């Protein structure tokens, strides 16, 4: 594997205003908010704060850009493809800068952002660039003298609201299919992590997209997010975030114009380890599944189910590994474990651990904040002795807390692992094909990972069962969400 370059420790902050109609503009009432570095708590900069009136302005720009006769509407699909490929090339050109900026703003370890997140972002744009002229309709045979066909048309002005935990990846998952299908978009990044979205917006101009096609309005959920989700001129909204906010978004759609929704919500995903595995491989994978990005990943393997025959050894090795993690500055290339996003999340995670212990769980390592570091660090934590109904076993922690459960039989573990309000991921490690197939068939989850974890790819759909959401990002499936189906009946002369 190619070596990872050193991060740019203090990447220059170039864009801090709203991006509307390919221009940088302060918010109409002059408001701004503070953006901080989670690894140090230091202020990075002030960013303009979008309110209702700014969202209206962005939606107006997106509406104008979508009008029949506009440059964007007249653009042939192969040129849309070129622009998306241009954008991918520009992100690739600036990969080191963008990865450094993401680490500065989000606190996730630079090595992973550079090696995993950026390539996925670039590939997502290239993948959807290939789709601009390939999302076909059908011709449909019916009784009578008709020709019937369907076409896929852009939905129109879309909105996207994304969370702080994977800002660039979420941006790519929403922007690429949306623009590939010829829509226009107003994107609200999380107010906690707006910096990379603003930088990518600057590349949109350089790539050659016409004004108004992509607009970025950083702001708070309750104001800018709410304005987008209630907007009468937004026809489709794609949301990634928590279940509670997802509920508000669905309600806002019903209360406004029934805009189409894609909801990608939380998870409490099981990872099932059978006794036939290579123990070190499985322990390593289960650690990656929960400790990556300090546990702040929707698809984290946050409930590790381990067969009783290997339970004690598995737990011992997991604790050993958790204790070995190098905690520190996420900009350092050898850091394994970075901070939580902010104090609120840090406090929430520590409170959930404390409650777990009060409820009777056994804390084997971690469970505290990391002393001596200014950022919002939580020690890698391993716990056992949970019962399935405890709060800690059911609620998303969104932190570096590995919960290891013991199981006896495959039927039991399938039932227990499915007994969750969530259904985003199910993981399984085994060398027994029958066990793997049974788990894959029975899991009530949108994605199943067999002998792997975090195997995400733009080409394959991603989304949740149950309260993990509805609709799919990625793959061909995402295109359906960004298009309307139009059915055309043409009366034909009878056969002669
Ligand atoms: P969140 O609080 O739900 O926020 C997500 C986004 O919604 C943010 O941009 C937020 O704005 C905005 N928002 C908040 N209140 C809103 C409202 N009333 N109306 C409209 N928008 C509103 O989630 P988060 O804490 O940022 O992210 C963590 C959650 O996201 C976790 O539950 C995680 O599992 C989930 N997640 C899911 C996936 C997936 O693909 N399934 C991927 C990543 C994360 P602010 O800027 O004010 O926060
Ligand atoms: Mg939030």
């Amino acid at each position: 594997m190619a070596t990872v370059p050193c991060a740019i420790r203090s990447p220059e902050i170039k864009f801090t205003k709203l991006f509307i109609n390919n221009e940088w503009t302060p918010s109409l009432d002059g408001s701004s908010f503070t953006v901080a570095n989670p690894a140090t708590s230091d202020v990075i900069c002030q960013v303009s704060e979008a309110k209702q009136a700014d969202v209206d302005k962005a939606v107006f720009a997106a509406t104008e850009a979508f009008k029949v006769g506009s440059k964007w509407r007249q653009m042939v699909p192969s040129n849309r493809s070129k622009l998306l490929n241009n954008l991918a090339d520009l992100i690739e050109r600036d990969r080191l800068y963008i990865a450094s900026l993401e680490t500065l703003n989000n606190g996730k370890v630079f090595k992973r952002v550079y090696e995993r997140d950026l390539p996925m972002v670039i590939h997502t744009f290239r993948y959807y660039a290939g789709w601009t002229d390939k999302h076909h309709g059908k011709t449909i045979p019916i009784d009578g003298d008709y020709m019937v066909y369907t076409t896929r048309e852009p939905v129109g002005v879309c909105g996207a609201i994304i969370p702080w935990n994977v800002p660039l990846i979420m941006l790519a998952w929403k922007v690429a299919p949306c623009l590939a299908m010829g829509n226009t978009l107003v994107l609200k990044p999380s107010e906690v992590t707006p910096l990379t979205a603003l930088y990518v917006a600057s590349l949109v101009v350089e790539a050659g997209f016409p004004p108004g096609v992509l607009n970025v309005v950083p702001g708070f959920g309750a104001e800018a997010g709410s304005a987008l989700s209630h907007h009468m001129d937004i026809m489709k909204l794609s949301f990634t975030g928590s279940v509670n906010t997802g509920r508000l978004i669905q309600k806002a759609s019903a209360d406004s114009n029934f805009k189409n929704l894609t909801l990608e919500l939380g998870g409490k995903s099981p990872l099932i380890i059978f006794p036939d595995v290579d123990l070190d491989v499985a322990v390593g994978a289960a650690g990656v599944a929960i400790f990556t990005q300090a546990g702040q990943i929707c698809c984290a393997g946050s409930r590790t189910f381990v067969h009783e025959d290997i339970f004690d050894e598995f737990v011992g090795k997991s604790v050993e590994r958790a204790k070995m993690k190098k905690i520190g500055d996420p900009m350092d290339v050898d850091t394994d474990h970075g901070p939580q996003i902010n104090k609120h999340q840090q406090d929430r995670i520590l409170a959930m651990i404390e409650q777990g212990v009060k409820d009777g769980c056994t804390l084997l390592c971690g469970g505290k904040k990391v002393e001596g570091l200014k950022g919002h660090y939580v020690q890698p934590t391993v716990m056992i002795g949970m019962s399935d109904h405890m709060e800690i076993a059911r609620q998303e922690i969104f932190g570096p807390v590995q919960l290891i459960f013991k199981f006896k039989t495959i039927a039991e573990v399938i039932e227990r692992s499915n007994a969750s309000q969530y259904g985003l991921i199910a993981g399984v490690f085994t060398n027994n094909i029958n066990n793997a197939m049974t788990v894959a068939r029975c899991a009530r989850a949108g994605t199943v990972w067999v002998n792997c974890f975090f195997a995400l790819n733009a080409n394959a759909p991603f989304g949740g069962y149950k309260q993990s959401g509805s609709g799919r990002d990625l793959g061909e499936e995402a295109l359906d969400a960004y298009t309307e189906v139009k059915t055309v009946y043409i009366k034909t002369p009878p056969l002669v």
Side-chain angles (χ1 to χ4, degrees):
M1 194 180 284
T3 52
V4 177
C6 291
I8 304 168
R9 287 193 166 266
S10 306
E12 188 192 342
I13 309 302
K14 299 176 186 171
F15 303 101
T16 58
K17 296 199 165 66
L18 312 181
F19 181 74
I20 299 176
N21 222 19
N22 279 8
E23 285 169 1
W24 299 101
T25 166
S27 43
L28 290 164
D29 72 356
S31 302
S32 66
F33 58 87
T34 302
V35 175
N37 176 353
T40 61
S41 310
D42 293 340
V43 171
I44 302 171
C45 61
Q46 290 290 121
V47 166
S48 296
E49 184 197 337
K51 304 264 185 74
Q52 170 87 49
D54 302 292
V55 169
D56 287 344
K57 195 174 148 190
V59 173
F60 181 75
T63 306
E64 290 294 305
F66 189 73
K67 276 199 173 144
V68 176
S70 71
K71 217 171 158 188
W72 181 240
R73 286 303 290 281
Q74 287 187 328
M75 190 176 289
V76 295
S78 57
N79 278 344
R80 278 209 308 274
S81 175
K82 265 188 207 149
L83 297 191
L84 286 163
N85 274 318
N86 288 349
L87 184 55
D89 291 346
L90 293 169
I91 295 171
E92 190 161 40
R93 179 194 71 187
D94 297 344
R95 178 174 169 188
L96 175 61
Y97 170 78
I98 296 173
S100 304
L101 191 62
E102 185 89 321
T103 293
L104 178 78
N105 193 178
N106 169 282
K108 54 171 138 183
V109 296
F110 170 77
K111 184 172 54 181
R112 186 169 171 92
V113 180
Y114 186 85
E115 273 184 340
R116 283 290 304 260
D117 293 19
L118 264 293
M120 170 152 222
V121 167
I122 294 161
H123 177 242
T124 303
F125 280 106
R126 295 211 171 113
Y127 171 75
Y128 283 109
W131 268 114
T132 58
D133 54 5
K134 295 177 192 65
H135 198 38
H136 306 297
K138 292 177 182 166
T139 54
I140 301 168
I142 66 165
D143 289 351
D145 298 321
Y146 296 95
M147 179 183 171
V148 183
Y149 65 90
T150 60
T151 55
R152 289 277 179 175
E153 297 194 343
V155 174
V157 179
C158 300
I161 300 178
I162 57 177
W164 48 261
N165 65 329
V166 268
L168 274 170
I169 288 180
M170 283 305 119
L171 174 145
W173 287 18
K174 313 296 185 193
V175 174
C178 180
L179 301 193
M181 293 297 101
N183 301 284
T184 59
L185 180 64
V186 179
L187 172 101
K188 190 199 89 65
S190 166
E191 99 280 351
V192 185
T193 55
L195 297 183
T196 46
L198 291 174
Y199 187 73
V200 171
S202 78
L203 300 181
V204 159
V205 184
E206 202 179 338
F209 285 89
V213 171
L214 175 68
N215 307 275
V216 180
V217 288
F220 290 84
E223 175 89 29
S226 176
L228 273 176
S229 58
H230 285 93
H231 213 288
M232 296 302 286
D233 296 330
I234 288 186
M235 299 300 147
K236 191 245 158 9
L237 182 71
S238 184
F239 170 77
T240 297
S242 62
V243 166
N244 286 345
T245 310
R247 235 179 270 289
L248 294 175
I249 301 273
Q250 183 125 5
K251 197 166 175 306
S253 168
D255 286 343
S256 55
N257 63 347
F258 288 113
K259 54 183 65 66
N260 293 338
L261 297 176
T262 303
L263 302 176
E264 299 282 1
L265 309 175
K268 187 79 176 177
S269 298
L271 171 55
I272 302 169
I273 316 281
F274 283 95
D276 59 64
V277 293
D278 176 322
L279 198 65
D280 288 316
V281 169
V283 167
V288 168
I290 184 64
F291 293 124
T292 297
Q293 221 178 284
Q296 303 169 112
I297 303 192
C298 57
C299 48
S302 47
R303 289 181 294 149
T304 313
F305 287 92
V306 177
H307 192 271
E308 61 178 3
D309 289 354
I310 56 168
F311 186 83
D312 291 342
E313 205 182 342
F314 186 99
V315 168
K317 282 176 182 269
S318 297
V319 171
E320 238 171 70
R321 271 180 173 260
K323 284 181 175 167
M324 269 165 44
K325 289 207 175 294
K326 186 166 181 307
I327 304 172
D329 182 351
M331 289 284 186
D332 286 344
V333 119
D334 57 348
T335 294
D336 302 312
H337 187 84
Q340 311 310 129
I341 190 73
N342 53 27
K343 180 155 190 324
H344 173 76
Q345 285 295 323
Q346 183 191 34
D347 289 347
R348 200 180 140 268
I349 294 161
L350 294 172
M352 286 182 85
I353 296 170
E354 205 182 314
Q355 186 60 48
V357 171
K358 274 191 198 142
D359 291 343
C361 310
T362 306
L363 179 65
L364 297 177
C365 68
K368 297 202 167 50
K369 65 180 174 190
V370 179
E371 296 302 336
L373 291 176
K374 268 169 68 198
H376 315 291
Y377 289 83
V378 174
Q379 296 169 337
T381 300
V382 179
M383 299 174 84
I384 57 171
M386 297 71 53
S387 69
D388 294 353
H389 66 265
M390 280 178 189
E391 194 74 359
I392 197 169
R394 291 188 298 112
Q395 301 300 335
E396 190 176 42
I397 303 175
F398 229 54
V401 184
Q402 184 173 31
L403 306 179
I404 310 183
F405 300 80
K406 191 190 285 186
F407 76 91
K408 263 185 204 296
T409 69
I410 187 166
E412 170 210 336
V413 77
I414 285 171
E415 181 169 343
R416 289 172 63 199
S417 61
N418 278 335
S420 168
Q421 61 168 321
Y422 294 111
L424 194 56
I425 304 292
V428 54
F429 272 72
T430 179
N431 288 312
N432 178 322
I433 184 76
N434 291 331
N435 284 346
M437 294 295 289
T438 302
V439 171
R441 288 181 68 188
C442 296
R444 301 291 300 159
T447 296
V448 178
W449 284 320
V450 179
N451 292 333
C452 58
F453 214 87
F454 296 140
L456 288 163
N457 192 289
N459 307 36
F462 178 84
Y465 282 26
K466 299 189 263 181
Q467 291 187 47
S468 288
S470 60
R472 293 292 178 269
D473 277 329
L474 300 184
E476 187 178 349
E477 282 73 6
L479 302 177
D480 294 345
Y482 290 103
T483 49
E484 292 280 12
V485 179
K486 180 176 280 174
T487 309
V488 181
Y489 288 75
I490 302 177
K491 185 85 178 109
T492 57
L495 286 177
V496 287

